[in-house]
Amino acid sequence: MKKLIVGNWKMNGSLQTNADLVSDVVQGLPASLNCGVGVAVPAVYVAQVQALVQGSGVAVAAQDVSQHEKGAYTGETSASMLQDLGVRYTLVGHSERRQYHGETDAVVAAKAQAALAKGVTPIVCVGETLAEREAGQTEQVVKRQLAAVIHQVGHCISELVVAYEPVWAIGTGKTASPEQAQAVHAVLRAQLAAATEHAGRVPLLYGGSMNAANAVPLLSQADIDGGLVGGASLKAADFLQIIAAAN
Ligand code: PEP
């Protein structure tokens, strides 16, 4: 499978800085792009960034989607709206959504289902907190989070992207070692394989302080098919080095 690198800008950017960043990334892409590249941008900038990446092979992703179809949900963005703009991916269940917006496994699963129903590929984020890892609950937590989505989406499982993002590694500069990450990815792959014969098609991304220095060993692991990159995706040179490592 081709590797997939997705930047998560989180709540950063402006018309000017987006234009500068995307222009630097697009100009610095490998001449022959052999991996998937995407950027998950704030909803308000989706259309701007789509225009900026046109023809470059870089896909645009949303950072969240509503589980509801339409109606009285002030501030939300529906999957139909993402589909309307031709958005390729959306993150669902990022740990910051789970932590600060109270998103439960059931809500995350409903969001994944809503996205799939409109042809938008959900990038389902799972991961344990430091306390959960120290209590030996990593496997149990990520399996519970993924099981909710598998149960909800039925035969569409093979259309998911899954990102393993240990919460203790996000934005902290602490990365899971390649072996730690691979061990969890193997668990997730086995869980998918028990649910679909097409588990090998589901890209399993690692996220959590991925950077230019650690991308190669992480991306060399058997079940790590790409990266979800936060902080380093805001610096074109760093993001490009991660893309080069995946290419
Ligand atoms: C993320 O936001 O998904 C992420 C992995 O962030 P960072 O790379 O900054 O840890």
Side-chain angles (χ1 to χ4, degrees), residues 86-205:
V87 171
R88 173 88 173 76
Y89 301 99
T90 182
L91 306 185
V92 297
H94 191 280
S95 66
E96 289 150 18
R97 301 284 324 166
R98 293 180 191 260
Q99 193 179 342
Y100 307 135
H101 300 272
E103 291 190 9
T104 61
D105 294 340
V107 167
V108 173
K111 289 184 171 200
Q113 171 74 9
L116 282 171
K118 298 297 174 190
V120 179
T121 300
I123 301 175
V124 178
C125 303
V126 300
E128 81 288 4
T129 63
L130 185 57
E132 289 165 339
R133 173 161 283 266
E134 286 176 349
Q137 295 168 345
T138 299
E139 199 171 308
Q140 178 192 328
V141 168
V142 298
K143 283 172 85 171
R144 188 202 73 223
Q145 292 172 332
L146 184 57
V149 177
I150 289 175
H151 181 71
Q152 176 99 35
V153 306
H155 62 277
C156 296
I157 299 165
S158 61
E159 291 162 42
L160 301 172
V161 176
V162 175
Y164 168 54
E165 298 210 305
V167 179
W168 48 272
I170 297 179
T172 58
K174 287 186 197 154
T175 319
S177 70
E179 295 73 23
Q180 281 175 321
Q182 166 58 28
V184 178
H185 280 232
V187 166
L188 296 172
R189 184 83 72 199
Q191 188 179 7
L192 290 165
T196 170
E197 62 193 74
H198 304 301
R201 273 194 217 158
V202 177
L204 295 183
L205 314 185

Side-chain angles (χ1 to χ4, degrees), residues 24 43 52 60-61 64 70-71 94 143 177 185 187 197 209 215 238:
D24 289 348
L52 292 168
V60 175
D64 185 31
K70 63 176 190 169
H94 191 280
K143 283 172 85 171
S177 70
H185 280 232
V187 166
E197 62 193 74
S209 299
D238 292 11

Side-chain angles (χ1 to χ4, degrees), residues 3 26 48 55 60 63-64 73 79 85 87 102 110 114 135 150 169 184:
K3 301 263 192 237
V26 167
Q48 181 209 10
V60 175
Q63 296 178 2
D64 185 31
Y73 299 102
L85 289 182
V87 171
I150 289 175
V184 178

